[in-house]
Structures are given as C-alpha cells and as structure tokens.
Amino acid sequence: MGRVVQKYGGSSVADAAAIKRVAQRIVDTKRAGNEVVVVVSAMGDSTDELIDLAEQVSPLPAPRELDMLLTAGERISMALLAMAITSLGHDARSFTGSQAGVITDGTHGKAKIIDVTPGRIEKALGQGAIAIVAGFQGVSQSTKDITTLGRGGSDTTAVALAAALGADVCEIYSDVDGVFTADPRIVPTARKLDRVTYEEMLEMAACGAKILHLRCVEYARRFDLPIHVRSSFSNHPGSLIAGSIDDITKEVAMEQAIISGVAHDRSEAKVTVVGVPDKVGYAARIFEKLSEAQINLDMIVQNVSAAATSLTDISFTLPRTDGQTAMQALAALQAEIGYASLQYDDQIGKISLIGAGMRSHPGVTATFFSALASAGVNIEMISTSEIRISVVVDESEVDAGVSAAHTAFDLDASEVEAVVYGGTGR
Amino acid sequence: MGRVVQKYGGSSVADAAAIKRVAQRIVDTKRAGNEVVVVVSAMGDSTDELIDLAEQVSPLPAPRELDMLLTAGERISMALLAMAITSLGHDARSFTGSQAGVITDGTHGKAKIIDVTPGRIEKALGQGAIAIVAGFQGVSQSTKDITTLGRGGSDTTAVALAAALGADVCEIYSDVDGVFTADPRIVPTARKLDRVTYEEMLEMAACGAKILHLRCVEYARRFDLPIHVRSSFSNHPGSLIAGSIDDITKEVAMEQAIISGVAHDRSEAKVTVVGVPDKVGYAARIFEKLSEAQINLDMIVQNVSAAATSLTDISFTLPRTDGQTAMQALAALQAEIGYASLQYDDQIGKISLIGAGMRSHPGVTATFFSALASAGVNIEMISTSEIRISVVVDESEVDAGVSAAHTAFDLDASEVEAVVYGGTGR
C-alpha cells in the first residue's frame, strides 16, 4: 500500500508482446493497493531509427528539432502502454513530459530538470487512474520548447517524479536482475548486491556501471528516495539503492574494508594537451574553455612540470561523444596558450574498484594494482576517492583487469546467478 | 510577396529524399520573398503502422491514447522537415498542433477546431523563420488533452491556420496535379480544372473527390481564403479554389449549364430500416439515435408508405467505417419503434455530376440518367442539390458510370494530361 513510480526501459517495451507483459505487471501493482505512476522509454531501437532518419535529411540536425523528433519515441510507447492497461480493465492515461510538469532548462539534447509540477499526475491518481509518463523529455521553462534530458534521462524522469510526488519507492525495471559486483557479461561469477548505498551506487554509475545513470542516483540521494533496481523479465527481488555509506560502515568492524564491486567503462576517450607552459591561469583557461563547450570531464591528471623546460602535460578523460567538440575547443586555444600539441586516444577503458573504508586500508590499493599487474594490465592513469580507485587502461585489457580484480577481492559467487538479457542506453 | 501557408500530404514526405525535395520547394517560396508556414502530414504509411501497433496491444484502443499515439507521426515528419530546411541555410522551427494554437473540442479521433491562436507562429515569422506545423492535431480546450481532427485533418489545419494568420493563399500539395473533371485513374481523358468555386468544390468533396476534404473547403469558403491545389512532384500550376458560383454563372450565358466534373465515392455503405410504422416522430427517433452516435449521414431516402400497411422503409448512406456503430445504435431502437428488420449493404458506390445551373436545366438530369442507362448502370438511390445530382449504384458499376457521364457531358480532354502518383487519406 503506497505510492509507487515504476520506470521501464526500451527493452521492456520493445514490441506489442512486451508492452502487454509490462501492462500486466503494472496492473498487479495497482491491484495490490498502490497508486502507480509509470515512466516509459521509447520502444527498443526506435530512438536509433529516428536518429538514422535525422541523419538522412541533415548532416548536423538542429538540436531543437532533434529533440522534437526523438520525443515521438516515448509518445508512441506510452500511448500503447496506456491502451494495453485500459484493455485490462484499468483506467490509464499517458502524459508527455510537458504535461507531467517536467520543467527543464533550454539545453537541447541534455537538458537539466529545474522543476517538477505534476498537477495533472496528482489529479489522475486522485481519480484512481494509472499515470503513464514519457521519460527522457521535458519542456523548457524559458522558450516552452520541447527538450530531452540526454543519457539516463528516463531514469532521471522517474526519480524526479517520484520525489515530487512523495512516492515511497522508485522501481527501475530493465533487462538485468539488479546491481552486480561486476558486469556479469565479463565476470560470470558476479554476485547480485541486495543493498547498495547511494554513495557506492554513485561511484559505480560514474565508473561505467550502466544499470543506473549518475544523475538519477544523485537525484535520489538528494531526496533520500529509495530506488529498487529489478528486471521486468523475472520476479526476482532486485537491488535496493538506499541509505548512506556512513550507516553501513558503523555496522561492521572498522578493521575491514568492504569492497562492493568492480565497475568498468569503455565510453571514454583520453585527451592530452602536450607542452603547456607552466604559468598561473593556463590550466584554468583550458578547463574554462571545455566548460563553455558543455563538456563534462572525468579524470584529470597533470604531470609535474620538468624544471628545465617549464612545460607540463595535462591529460583528462571525457565521453567519446564529446571528443570532437573538445578537440575543436582546445585547438582554438593554441594561439593564446602556446601548447605544443594535442593527443587523442579513444582506445581506452576504465576499471574502478568501489567500496567503503578503502582509503584507510592501503592494502586495498596494493591488492588491486598487483591483481592488474598479474593479469598483464598496464595502468595509464589513476584517480581515487574516499570509496573508489579508478585506473585507465588500454581498452583491450579491460575484461582481464575486471576479472582479476573481482577474484582478488573474493567477490566471486559460489555459483552463477546473473542473467543478462541485452541492454539499452536510455 | 506575401504570406503563404503550404500543406504537404504523407506521400510528399514519404522518405528522406521526399522530405529534402519538399524542403527545397519551401525554401524557394521563402526566397521569393514570402513568409512561409508549412503544415505537414505523417510520413507515408506511418499512421497505418501506428494503428497496427495499437491493434496489437488492444482490440479497442482508448480514443484519448490513440490520439496521443497517432500525433507522433506528424511530430516525426515535421521535425525532419525543419532539420532539412535548416541544413539548406534557413531558420525553421516545428510546432505541434498545441504549440501552434490549434484549439479543439474534446472529441478524440474527430475533434473540431474551435479556435486558432497562432501566437508562436506569428513570433517565428516575425523573426524570419519558416514555421512547420503538425497537421491533423490540436489540443482540447477543456481537458488540455491531445486531439486529432480525423479525416482531412491536415488540410483543415492548413486552411484554419491560413485564415487565422491572414495568409494570402493556402497551397495544398499532394500527388495529383489539381482538381480534375473526374478521377484520372478511371477516366484517362479527364481534364484539370484551372479554377473551381467553393460550392463546386464542396459538392465534389462531399461526393468523394479525395483531393480536398469537405471540412477544409467549408472553412476556406467561410473565410474567403483561396486554396491552390497542386502537386509536390511537378511545377505545373494546379487548380485554384476560390470565388462563388454566383459570380461564375453571371459571367456566362444563362442558357447554358456548366458541368464541372463527375465525382465518385466508394467509401459509403447503405443502411435500410425496413418496415418502420408510419407514425409522427419515429423517423426523428432514428436520426436522433444516429446523431447521438456521432454518425454523419449522407443521402437519406424515405419511401412513400404503402397505405395498406402503414409501414415505410427508410434508407440512408453513411461512411462504411461507421457502419457497425450505426447498426448497433439502430438495433437498440427496435423494441421502442418496432421496425421489421435492418439491411446493410457496403457494395455500393456513388456517382455525382457537379456544375452550375443544372437545376434549371432538366436536360442535364435526362442526359446523365440516359448515359448511365446506356452503360448498363442501375440506379438505387437519387439525391440532388442546386449544383449536383448524385446516384447510388452497385459498386462494380461505378467506373462504367463515371466514364459514360464524363463522355456524355463533353468533358473529355483532347489528350491525356493527368498524372496520378498514388494517394493518401490524411
């Protein structure tokens, strides 16, 4: 008995049969006495098909129009889902992001939610209806134009709506049974985690675990909203994302580090600005320029400058999709700063070890690096946080590194329990 | 130099190549110094594909959700068209029906436009942009739900917008070169009409000429807005729909009837209520019941009641798509009225002769009927107006009847000029 927001990804509504199955699951939740709000992605590959069409008519589609185009995908899936529920005898009404009150800024393609005013959803719930909401989309506060939220947008829609509606839980359905200690496609012995703290999940998401997007976990943490990650293809309980790592570490013996998993990411590229004069403000100019181009950086490493030359190299990683934009932005800066050259490498991967208490346990780092060395994996960059150690390696060495680390920290399950069905990005 | 509203049908934007060709035509119109607003239908068969999907998830899709689903079609085509124009170097912005201010009543599936408030379109034009508007859709004034306008909806959107924007002309592009004296697929010698009055076009549309929908012609006539019907596949001048038949008849010798064309329609069915007691108010009850079911009747014939039995038969024609609904509505009335039985026939067709001054020329009727008789066509029902004679015949005899009438009234061109490319309904 409560108020539940459920989110179904594209693979869960890939065709008519899948939509009907999801409809039944939603009706079951409603029959159990809950108020139900459903956030839905576009069907299967339909987003990619729309992008193909866009590229056929325009080499560089106008961002406003690309958003208008792509939002047709959720419009189709949400209307079909509402119809399927209605034909099971329950009142269901679909709402676009705009109708659901998802107010964003005006950055087409990766808009940020700035307010959620779900008056029409509340009204539908009050009338006993199930509300179906288009994920991934909103409406710009200033221009009233349709916007899309970018990667992870549907998950973020679900969490934001759940927070605005005061929901008890946000259930994120995908084709995976939950959050695992590593990607089961690479490590077949990976274990499902029953419970993960916001901080751990944040680090996992930031480090390439595709199960949940960073933004959505950040949003849930801010509003202390529990997320239940589970599969729409089974009835297994999934993983509950809730609570703070502080609470967890208090519960266990402080002498022990708790490694929750090994994440990896192949979506990044590495840029190196070679031979930057070691003057105050030059590094700042580089990162200002990248920020103006709306590029989110991940790891940043600056070598100590060689005293003889007073030149330094600055390396950073960023999403590969932003690579071209970043290189252009930096090229425009060469005259001003006078660096020597730019290097671009997209054949990299990132491996991250995540868990509580690792900073106070130097042994963790040693074990991690020695496991990688034994597997023949060469480390190119290193970055650490309170609960994470990440390394950049050659892309071809990612699988070996993940497996080696997983085994080194005794994360392997006694038997294989992971089922993976394929995946989508939105 | 002026303000032009152009409407492109589904066959004109069927794929990426077609969209690019249409984009070029729009840019040419803009370069000629015009302000341009474009109304666009869904791509090719995409609406049918969406309807198929709906039927897969629900035997009787909820009307509100079907509208939400179908409006995705125009959303896709309009965004693609705007992108294609932008990549030709012109500013283009797409707007949903709701954004364009197309306010309707709440009748899902066949909503009526009750107001057009194109503030955002005016603003876009004022900034030098080309505005692309989704045809066929609007937003309900009372519920704020998305609605569709039903058949002919995109044409109606174009004319309504043109009227609200004070446009000089509304150009309706399709795959046909204009309005012909008969369907060129049946009568290869049919001639294109350079000019057609609103009244003639109304009768033609009402009689099955698919080139323009009745609603759109009615709208244009009310606002005295010229419609230019032409092909998006050629640069031939099309047919101009403008002016009153009164003006035309004044220009020509009054002794002569002016037959403008022969239309036909295979989309109707005939219902006969057999053995209705000839009492005051019984016929009214029948038509009240049909009206409550939102069914538009076309021809209505009541036989003189046989004095001996005091029973009469009432026949009418209606869209085949409404046949099932009408039969159910009438069946519910049998107990109350006590008629004998219902007959349903969807193997019928309608042939209509349209032109000015025919009422005052009995010879027209005689020539028409004798041409049909010579062609072996049997007449089942007759209905006439000031500028039209329509007959219902067996569906298999429609082609022969149309050809015979066309020849009898000397409408055949000396050479074949019609080009027909296929067609869509929306």
Side-chain angles (χ1 to χ4, degrees), chain B residues 230-363:
Chain B
R230 50 193 309 195
S231 168
S232 69
F233 294 83
S234 77
N235 282 312
H236 302 320
S239 303
L240 191 71
I241 322 296
S244 161
I245 202 155
D246 294 338
D247 305 331
I248 304 290
T249 47
K250 277 176 199 144
E251 292 171 14
V252 299
M254 289 305 290
E255 276 73 27
Q256 199 184 330
I258 312 145
I259 302 303
S260 50
V262 184
H264 71 279
D265 190 355
R266 295 176 211 266
S267 69
E268 296 196 334
K270 184 175 72 171
V271 171
T272 303
V273 190
V274 180
V276 179
D278 192 12
K279 292 188 186 163
V280 174
Y282 274 24
R285 276 299 289 144
I286 288 175
F287 295 112
E288 269 170 26
K289 196 80 184 172
L290 293 168
S291 162
E292 285 164 17
Q294 298 280 324
I295 291 166
N296 288 320
L297 304 183
D298 179 21
M299 294 165 67
I300 301 171
V301 174
Q302 179 170 0
N303 295 345
V304 179
S305 88
T309 60
S310 287
L311 294 179
T312 183
D313 296 345
I314 296 178
S315 295
F316 56 88
T317 61
L318 78 175
R320 283 181 199 174
T321 46
D322 287 341
Q324 205 54 37
T325 314
M327 292 296 277
Q328 280 167 8
L330 292 174
L333 213 60
Q334 185 162 26
E336 181 186 335
I337 290 188
Y339 62 78
S341 66
L342 293 177
Q343 288 174 0
Y344 183 75
D345 181 4
D346 61 5
Q347 303 294 307
I348 64 160
K350 189 171 71 167
I351 303 174
S352 303
L353 189 69
I354 290 141
M358 65 171 61
R359 191 56 84 80
S360 52
H361 289 81

Side-chain angles (χ1 to χ4, degrees), chain A residues 295-380:
Chain A
I295 291 165
N296 289 319
L297 305 183
D298 180 21
M299 293 165 68
I300 300 172
V301 174
Q302 180 172 359
N303 295 345
V304 178
S305 88
T309 60
S310 287
L311 294 178
T312 184
D313 296 345
I314 297 178
S315 295
F316 57 88
T317 61
L318 77 176
R320 283 181 200 175
T321 47
D322 287 341
Q324 206 54 38
T325 313
M327 291 297 276
Q328 280 166 8
L330 292 174
L333 213 57
Q334 185 163 25
E336 181 185 336
I337 290 188
Y339 60 78
S341 64
L342 293 178
Q343 288 174 1
Y344 182 76
D345 180 5
D346 60 5
Q347 303 295 305
I348 62 161
K350 189 171 68 170
I351 304 174
S352 303
L353 189 69
I354 291 143
M358 62 172 61
R359 191 56 86 79
S360 52
H361 289 81
V364 171
T365 309
T367 306
F368 184 35
F369 288 3
S370 104
L372 293 176
S374 307
V377 176
N378 186 43
I379 299 173
E380 299 181 18

Side-chain angles (χ1 to χ4, degrees), chain A residues 20 64-65 94 120 145, chain B residues 20 56 65 94 120 145:
Chain A
K20 287 196 213 174
R64 177 190 187 278
E65 300 306 324
S94 67
R120 294 184 68 172
D145 285 332
Chain B
K20 286 197 216 176
Q56 285 175 44
E65 299 306 325
S94 66
R120 293 184 68 173
D145 285 333

Side-chain angles (χ1 to χ4, degrees), chain A residues 104-367:
Chain A
T104 72
D105 64 17
T107 316
H108 287 290
K110 40 176 152 177
K112 288 198 167 56
I113 296 177
I114 53 184
D115 198 8
V116 181
T117 55
R120 294 184 68 172
I121 308 299
E122 285 281 10
K123 190 177 168 197
L125 293 177
Q127 293 169 345
I130 295 166
I132 315 291
V133 179
F136 181 66
Q137 58 179 252
V139 62
S140 156
Q141 191 172 44
S142 53
T143 63
K144 307 296 174 209
D145 285 332
I146 301 303
T147 53
T148 66
L149 307 180
R151 288 189 66 80
S154 289
D155 289 356
T156 307
T157 303
V159 171
L161 259 181
L165 291 165
D168 299 294
V169 66
C170 179
E171 299 180 341
I172 306 272
Y173 287 89
S174 74
D175 47 10
V176 181
D177 276 334
V179 181
F180 282 77
T181 51
D183 185 338
R185 281 171 286 208
I186 293 182
V187 184
T189 53
R191 280 186 296 113
K192 191 182 73 193
L193 298 163
D194 294 332
R195 205 183 154 100
V196 185
T197 63
Y198 293 122
E199 291 91 337
E200 289 170 299
M201 196 64 230
L202 275 178
E203 292 285 5
M204 287 189 186
C207 295
K210 292 194 181 56
I211 188 93
L212 278 183
H213 203 270
L214 188 61
R215 300 166 69 178
C216 126
V217 186
E218 279 172 346
Y219 215 109
R221 181 196 194 188
R222 189 176 323 149
F223 290 92
D224 201 20
L225 178 84
I227 302 180
H228 188 181
V229 176
R230 52 194 307 196
S231 168
S232 69
F233 294 83
S234 77
N235 282 313
H236 303 317
S239 303
L240 191 70
I241 322 296
S244 160
I245 202 154
D246 294 338
D247 305 333
I248 304 291
T249 47
K250 278 175 201 143
E251 292 171 14
V252 298
M254 287 306 288
E255 277 71 28
Q256 201 185 326
I258 313 144
I259 303 303
S260 51
V262 184
H264 71 279
D265 189 355
R266 295 178 211 264
S267 69
E268 296 195 336
K270 183 175 72 170
V271 172
T272 304
V273 190
V274 180
V276 180
D278 193 12
K279 294 188 188 165
V280 173
Y282 274 23
R285 276 298 290 144
I286 288 176
F287 295 112
E288 269 171 26
K289 195 79 184 173
L290 294 168
S291 162
E292 285 165 18
Q294 298 278 323
I295 291 165
N296 289 319
L297 305 183
D298 180 21
M299 293 165 68
I300 300 172
V301 174
Q302 180 172 359
N303 295 345
V304 178
S305 88
T309 60
S310 287
L311 294 178
T312 184
D313 296 345
I314 297 178
S315 295
F316 57 88
T317 61
L318 77 176
R320 283 181 200 175
T321 47
D322 287 341
Q324 206 54 38
T325 313
M327 291 297 276
Q328 280 166 8
L330 292 174
L333 213 57
Q334 185 163 25
E336 181 185 336
I337 290 188
Y339 60 78
S341 64
L342 293 178
Q343 288 174 1
Y344 182 76
D345 180 5
D346 60 5
Q347 303 295 305
I348 62 161
K350 189 171 68 170
I351 304 174
S352 303
L353 189 69
I354 291 143
M358 62 172 61
R359 191 56 86 79
S360 52
H361 289 81
V364 171
T365 309
T367 306

